[in-house]
Structure formats: structure tokens, C-alpha cells
Amino acid sequence: MSEASMIGLLTAAVSFGALLYLAALGELISEKAGILNLGVEGMMAMGAVTGFMVALETENAWLGLIVAMLVGAFFALIHGLFTVILGAEQVVSGLSLTILGLGLAAFVGKNAVGRPPGAVLAPVDWGSLSDIPWVGPILFTQSPIVYFAVVCGIATSFVLTRTRTGLALRGAGESASTVDASGHSVVQLRLGAVAMGGALAGASGAYLTLSLTPQWTEGVTAGRGWIAVALVIFG
């Protein structure tokens, strides 16, 4: 394999790795609080279609990303309502959320199929850093969402391991009665974790349609949400 082919392969690996990383990070936060969310695929699909359509109408990809995150959080809170507040079975609720998200995304985006993107998240210009052999093309020619994913990972690690909120969040998943006795609201912690997980899944979907493959087609997520869930479980 030539040097150019190897660099292209590694660049693509970083790009698509960030896509899965965002969705898996959101699922990790949710599971740390004791909530299994199998609706990642549906939330990604809704984030993908809403992000693309907002960018199509406003010609602002960043606004599309924000809306996609809000929509992802909203859908996750539906799961939170049924599982945290109403006590429904987590697996059934998550699977229902995936089916709802995929179906609704296909319906909402039917008029956007095949249309060119209104705006895209262009790669960040790092100047001379992009010219460094091997490292430059692989790490410094990426979409801003890749760097956003790295920041989210560092922030999540810090919050979960170094803060009282992170300790309470992990406690909500490991010993809810202890967290409740310490004065924290287990319901609020779990709903917040689920919403954050949904927001990151929505961002992952928007990254797909605003950067990696800037278009909307039904089934564009292609099972990547399930891969993210599997990564968290095996990890």
C-alpha cells in the first residue's frame, strides 16, 4: 500500500471513529447513571435529518448541529420519561425509540432526499500544522466535530472521575439508594445523563449528514448506532 493510500485510510479512520465515538460516549454517560438506551440509532437518525434540513433552510451548519443536539436530547428524554419516571422496561423503550426515530426521520426528510446541502462543516484550517508529514493530514485536516468529540471525551472523563456531580452520577447507576440518602435526586441525575447521551447521539447524526456524507437519504445511519451501543457494552 502506498504512503498516500495509508494516509487516506488513517484519515478516514479518524473521521468515522469520531462518529462512533460521539454516539458511544453519549451511551456511556447514560449507562453510568443506570439507564440502558437502545434508541441510539433512532436518535442519530433524527439528528441527521434535522441537522441537514436546518442547514438546508438556513445555510448555517452550526445551527443545524445545535438543533440536531436538541432534538436528540428531546428524544432521549422520551426514553427517560418511560424508564426513569414511569418505570418501563429499558430494552423495550429503547427499541421503540429506535423504531420511532428511524420511521419519523424517513417521513420528515422525504422531501430532502437528493438535495444538495445548504451548508457543511468544513475541515478546520490549522495552517502549517496541516503540512506536517503523516500527522498533519491525519489529525489536522478534520471536521470541527472531530475536535469537538475529543473535547467532549476529556470533559466527560474529568466530570465522571474528578467532580461530585460525576460521583453522584456513577452512584445513581451503582447504588441509587445511597445517592438518594446523600441528598441528590436520582431522577434528575438519570434524566440529565439520558438527555446528554441523546444530545451527543444527535450530534453524531448531524456530523454524518453535515460533514462525512453531506446529504440525506433514508437509512443513512446504516446501523452505526448499534455499533456504538456494542462498543460501550464490550468496552
Side-chain angles (χ1 to χ4, degrees), residues 34 56 86 106 136 184:
L56 186 65
L86 300 180
H184 294 279

Side-chain angles (χ1 to χ4, degrees), residues 48-58 105 108-112 210 216:
V49 70
T50 53
F52 182 82
M53 293 189 69
V54 169
L56 186 65
E57 297 297 328
T58 65
V108 171
K110 61 182 179 180
N111 294 326
L210 294 177
W216 164 254

